[in-house]
Amino acid sequence: MLTAVSFLGLAGCEGQVPQPSSPTASSSSSATASPDLTTQQEKKIRQSIIETLDKANDAKDASGLTARVTGPQLQVRSSELSIAKATGKLDPKTAIPKDIAQTVIPGDSGWPRSIFAITTTTEDQQSKRLLVMNQDSAHENYKLWGVARLFQGAQLPKFPVSTIGAQMGQSDDKGLKATPKQAVERYADVLAHGKSSKFEKDFSSDYLRDSIDKLTQTVQQGIDANKGEQSQTFAAEPEQIRVMRSSDGGDLVVAQINSVWTRKAGEGRESLPASDAEKALFGAGKATSTMKVTYVNVVALYVPPTSSSEPIKAVGAERQPIKVEAV
């Protein structure tokens, strides 16, 4: 039943990307110096990363990813390749276009540092991707840290032009509706508890929340039929968060939220994998009455400044099962 309501519904969505803004009084101080990186250098970095991904895709082998992939994206792409090896084909959502619509280059000095890039749509008109490329030190290569597919109609904030440079934010940035760390933790609570969450009113509705809710309801119908039960937990990964400050005083936050979906069959039944991806990850495992599926969720949130009347908005996400086990 998982295939009936899939997060792949994002594939045909079109994210809306604003043009870079000119410096204003509020944004001219967003960079401490001219960016060390040019748009030509960013393109070379991105192309090198995509070449590494292409080689791994062709071989359906994740062993070479660590040279250019890290963070939650390493977990996500490794899982996608494991599934592709078992099924014989890559999921279309793994595609990352080579062309971009916008690059956000920081003007900050020092490390670690991140680049945010928004791609064009894919050849089959899947949504734009928000890429986060991270460099831990001056002596290391930039690596692809996170990828989020933009939601339909998502409005991203504006950033200073690349020749001026944006400013990277911190997880404890103040002057916002919530600090980035708080925003991610509260969003995880909303994913877990829906309208019952005390933070639900702080966020606008979005495709990830809706798709998880619909999927849960669909699976519940089958669970009710055999007197089983299900539960889901969501928890922010504290260190896996990247922040870029926008021209309007808000923050664009990309972060990892881990989740575990436990499904228990009733009346002496076995709980089985419920999608091709789950079957591939479960492999030759022996089924029991309970199945536990671990997910990595990469979410992109726009956190407005305190002065804004707008709620916190999820503008994109990626959701990938990384482990399926019988317990």
Side-chain angles (χ1 to χ4, degrees):
M1 286 183 295
L2 286 174
T3 55
V5 184
S6 172
F7 190 60
L8 283 176
L10 290 175
C13 299
E14 174 69 26
Q16 297 180 18
V17 182
Q19 295 299 312
S21 66
S22 298
T24 64
S26 62
S27 65
S28 59
S29 61
S30 65
T32 57
S34 298
D36 294 332
L37 200 69
T38 65
T39 53
Q40 290 78 17
Q41 290 170 321
E42 183 277 334
K43 181 178 180 180
K44 185 176 180 181
I45 290 166
R46 186 164 29 83
Q47 287 177 335
S48 181
I49 289 172
I50 291 176
E51 286 174 5
T52 298
L53 293 176
D54 287 344
K55 288 178 182 178
N57 292 347
D58 290 342
K60 297 182 178 60
D61 183 358
S63 60
L65 288 178
T66 54
R68 283 295 194 171
V69 184
T70 189
Q73 181 58 20
L74 181 59
Q75 293 177 276
V76 169
R77 184 56 61 131
S78 295
S79 170
E80 291 168 341
L81 289 170
S82 293
I83 293 168
K85 187 172 183 178
T87 62
K89 60 181 180 180
L90 277 164
D91 193 309
K93 76 182 181 67
T94 62
I96 296 179
K98 292 180 170 60
D99 296 325
I100 60 166
Q102 183 184 358
T103 302
V104 182
I105 296 176
D108 305 73
S109 59
W111 287 267
R113 61 175 60 167
S114 299
I115 305 167
F116 283 22
I118 299 99
T119 72
T120 58
T121 55
T122 64
E123 291 182 358
D124 57 353
Q125 295 305 300
Q126 294 180 54
S127 67
K128 295 178 174 73
R129 276 68 162 133
L130 169 60
L131 313 179
V132 179
M133 295 168 282
N134 197 69
Q135 186 184 37
D136 285 335
S137 75
H139 304 291
E140 296 184 57
N141 287 327
Y142 275 91
K143 296 182 179 182
L144 183 61
W145 177 89
V147 177
R149 288 178 287 161
L150 297 183
F151 297 149
Q152 182 180 23
Q155 295 287 343
L156 273 65
K158 294 182 179 180
F159 298 93
V161 293
S162 58
T163 53
I164 295 172
Q167 185 180 28
M168 291 184 295
Q170 303 297 325
S171 63
D172 60 353
D173 277 355
K174 304 296 192 297
L176 306 167
K177 294 284 186 176
T179 68
K181 181 175 182 290
Q182 289 171 337
V184 176
E185 290 172 344
R186 293 173 185 179
Y187 187 68
D189 191 83
V190 172
L191 290 176
H193 303 292
K195 293 182 179 179
S196 299
S197 170
K198 63 180 180 180
F199 302 114
E200 198 271 341
K201 61 179 175 52
D202 298 333
F203 295 84
S204 60
S205 60
D206 64 74
Y207 281 88
L208 178 61
R209 289 171 56 189
D210 291 346
S211 65
I212 291 175
D213 184 58
K214 290 176 182 177
L215 180 54
T216 302
Q217 291 181 31
T218 300
V219 172
Q220 188 63 43
Q221 295 173 10
I223 287 176
D224 288 342
N226 65 45
K227 299 180 181 179
E229 58 186 51
Q230 66 172 324
S231 64
Q232 293 190 70
T233 61
F234 292 82
E237 187 70 22
E239 301 303 317
Q240 299 298 342
I241 182 170
R242 299 294 182 268
V243 183
M244 195 71 74
R245 294 173 182 165
S246 62
S247 299
D248 63 359
D251 276 0
L252 181 58
V253 180
V254 185
Q256 177 179 349
I257 295 175
N258 298 324
S259 61
V260 177
W261 188 5
T262 304
R263 305 189 298 266
K264 185 175 182 179
E267 300 181 340
R269 296 171 181 262
E270 291 183 339
S271 184
L272 300 172
S275 68
D276 290 341
E278 286 193 10
K279 291 175 184 176
L281 292 174
F282 190 58
K286 181 174 174 56
T288 65
S289 63
T290 304
M291 181 144 291
K292 185 169 74 172
V293 185
T294 302
Y295 284 83
V296 166
N297 305 278
V298 178
V299 299
L301 305 175
Y302 173 60
V303 187
T306 306
S307 59
S308 174
S309 60
E310 296 296 318
I312 301 170
K313 299 177 182 178
V315 295
E318 187 56 81
R319 176 169 165 82
Q320 178 66 25
I322 62 168
K323 183 167 65 172
V324 180
E325 54 191 324
V327 294

